[in-house]
Amino acid sequence: MLGPALVACGDDGGGESASPEPAATAPSDPAAAKAEITENWTTFFDPNTPVAERAELLENGDQLRPALQALLTNDAASQATAKVKTVEFTSPNNANVTYDLLVSGAPAVPDAKGTSVFQDDTWKVSVKTLCGLAQLSGATVPGC
């Protein structure tokens, strides 16, 4: 019985709904975002990727370049690669990433958890993920 009254109250002719839109929990193109996250994580964790390029794929990478360089002095960290298994969006600009961390091709940390953030029109490895890996490796990393 309240349905028509609520609709009538909410119709101001402006085309907007009286009730708020639910918050978006994914980017507008989740498939493209997932592909970019997977590609960027693979590149970031490629031992052949130069530090400058890795910094571009790291949240706040310009400020954290010294932290990234410090982490890469660790033998295991410098040889680590990642295989993204799942990406779950928590908002249009954030995602949880489950990945296998491999060292010299052998599983070192299966089903590792990390996050990706959309910054400067790019899906990047989060600072939180980098600092977690630094802690795991035992490296002292400035900024973490």
Side-chain angles (χ1 to χ4, degrees), residues 21-28 89-94:
E21 292 290 320
T25 57
S28 59
F89 295 101
T90 57
S91 77
N93 298 317
N94 294 284

Side-chain angles (χ1 to χ4, degrees), residues 102-122:
L102 311 170
V103 175
S104 300
V109 185
D111 294 324
K113 306 289 185 199
T115 55
S116 189
V117 296
F118 191 67
Q119 182 183 63
D120 301 326
D121 295 324
T122 303

